[in-house]
Amino acid sequence: MNQIVKNLEDDDESGELRPARLSDFTGQSSALKKLPVYIRGARRRGEPLDHILFYGPPGLGKTTLSRIISEELGVGFRSVSAPSIAKPGDLAAVLVNLAPNDVLFIDEIHRLPLIVEELLYSAMEDFKITILVGDGMNSEPIEVGISPFTLVAATTRKGMLSQPLQDRFGIQFRLEYYQSAELGTIVQRAALKLGERMGEEEALEVARRARGTPRIALRLLKRLRDFREDAEVEYSVDFIADCLDEMGITPEGLDELDLRYLEVLTDQYHGGPVGIDTMATALSESRDTLESSVEPFLIRTGKLAKTRKGRIIPDQTLL
């Protein structure tokens, strides 16, 4: 079980920069208005908070909010990634070790095997699971009670979740991309935690190139710290812009993979239409990477369109 359950910090390169309370969290105003109400209600009643589903693009704070919820509730936190749960016994080992009202966070829940997902149904509704004891024809189903708990799940592909599983989440939030001003605030706070001094305009320059995503903004901040220490200078807008240019991040937030994608689609396939599998082969990247990390931003910025025939570059963006 130790290989399955892990602390948030174990797989979070920016864990030390993340807020620990809702009052410190910036952005996602819709969720922040409702979550404190739901949390206070659960605490008053001494009950587990209803199960929560966070969905939306990667890097927007789903994991961070999950950890904060456990802190606000004053309960234990367990984290597991769905791809690491191969069989029902893996999940059962996690569930039976939860303390009352604990928060269990499952990341990438859309990748949970169906046979494991079915075990979750009774766990979420009745706080019971059925396990098989014995081998082969001699095995018998045994019902085991588990402690009441809150499942907080995260997914970038809500459409891949079965309806029965979706229906068991009483609270659902779609996380949205951040505005530059919100990201600027996050960058400034993170810089202080790193012992760095960064002004508002400098932080906004980082934010504008971070694709509306805190995870990207924090990664850029750490690399900028390396450049600043190496150059032995103070931050300035021009210095930050030059460093980000050197890192291959354009003023619009495009990175090297984005530019390669647009170049291949424009030059090799004359602007499309091209199927996603063809693009993945041409770029030597996985389809999942392109669909989850590249295409959403290109579509959002109007540089790419998806049609029934495939991906195309709109006329106004042809290079």
Side-chain angles (χ1 to χ4, degrees):
M1 186 181 71
N2 291 335
Q3 292 179 340
I4 299 174
V5 179
K6 53 187 179 300
N7 292 327
L8 176 67
E9 291 79 8
D10 292 341
D11 61 352
D12 179 10
E13 64 178 7
S14 299
E16 78 276 13
L17 302 181
R18 294 174 179 268
R21 311 294 295 195
L22 285 175
S23 57
D24 299 325
F25 193 93
T26 300
Q28 308 303 336
S29 58
S30 177
L32 289 189
K33 287 179 182 177
K34 302 178 183 70
L35 272 175
V37 177
Y38 302 152
I39 290 171
R40 288 194 295 268
R43 294 190 66 171
R44 279 195 304 268
R45 296 186 294 270
E47 300 173 353
L49 183 64
D50 206 352
H51 304 301
I52 300 175
L53 177 66
F54 289 123
Y55 63 98
L60 300 186
K62 294 184 284 292
T63 304
T64 299
L65 281 171
S66 301
R67 181 61 184 243
I68 287 175
I69 287 169
S70 73
E71 293 289 339
E72 297 285 354
L73 288 169
V75 299
F77 179 81
R78 298 292 183 272
S79 173
V80 59
S81 178
S84 70
I85 306 176
K87 54 187 185 297
D90 295 334
L91 181 60
V94 176
L95 292 172
V96 298
N97 282 281
L98 294 175
N101 299 345
D102 271 0
V103 168
L104 171 63
F105 175 62
I106 300 183
D107 197 12
E108 300 183 89
I109 194 169
H110 61 275
R111 298 178 63 181
L112 205 63
L114 178 59
I115 192 172
V116 178
E117 178 182 314
E118 292 173 346
L119 181 72
L120 264 182
Y121 295 163
S122 60
M124 294 172 71
E125 288 192 329
D126 304 318
F127 305 119
K128 297 178 181 178
I129 58 174
T130 299
I131 60 176
L132 293 177
V133 177
D135 297 323
M137 298 294 294
N138 296 322
S139 61
E140 295 183 5
I142 302 295
E143 192 174 82
V144 177
I146 59 175
S147 296
F149 72 101
T150 295
L151 174 62
V152 181
T155 179
T156 57
R157 306 282 186 87
K158 185 186 180 187
M160 292 180 64
L161 296 184
S162 68
Q163 197 60 49
L165 182 57
Q166 288 191 43
D167 291 344
R168 284 168 169 78
F169 290 98
I171 303 171
Q172 300 187 20
F173 292 114
R174 173 177 172 80
L175 301 193
E176 305 290 347
Y177 287 107
Y178 287 63
Q179 299 297 316
S180 292
E182 295 172 332
L183 274 185
T185 298
I186 292 172
V187 169
Q188 278 194 289
R189 288 179 177 176
L192 285 175
K193 291 182 179 181
L194 291 174
E196 300 282 286
R197 293 169 52 184
M198 182 176 288
E200 182 177 345
E201 288 302 316
E202 289 75 20
L204 279 174
E205 181 64 24
V206 180
R208 282 190 286 265
R209 303 196 190 204
R211 307 161 73 110
T213 306
R215 181 182 297 164
I216 295 175
L218 297 180
R219 187 169 68 237
L220 295 179
L221 172 62
K222 287 187 172 183
R223 301 292 69 78
L224 286 169
R225 176 180 59 172
D226 295 333
F227 278 104
R228 187 201 62 76
E229 291 175 346
D230 192 63
E232 298 182 340
V233 297
E234 297 297 322
Y235 287 116
S236 69
V237 173
D238 288 341
F239 176 77
I240 288 174
D242 289 343
C243 291
L244 293 176
D245 288 342
E246 180 75 13
M247 293 165 60
I249 309 296
T250 73
E252 296 175 281
L254 299 175
D255 61 21
E256 293 179 358
L257 182 53
D258 298 323
L259 295 174
R260 283 175 51 216
Y261 186 108
L262 294 175
E263 181 181 359
V264 167
L265 184 52
T266 301
D267 296 343
Q268 191 169 332
Y269 297 105
H270 311 292
V274 182
I276 182 61
D277 291 323
T278 300
M279 287 299 300
T281 300
L283 292 165
S284 298
E285 295 286 348
S286 72
R287 173 175 179 159
D288 186 66
T289 296
L290 298 184
E291 288 186 316
S292 64
S293 300
V294 177
E295 293 184 340
F297 182 68
L298 295 180
I299 292 171
R300 184 161 58 96
T301 55
K303 299 185 182 303
L304 179 70
K306 291 168 66 175
T307 70
R308 292 181 179 180
K309 293 183 178 180
R311 276 62 173 167
I312 64 170
I313 293 185
D315 292 341
Q316 65 269 24
T317 66
L318 283 173
L319 302 179

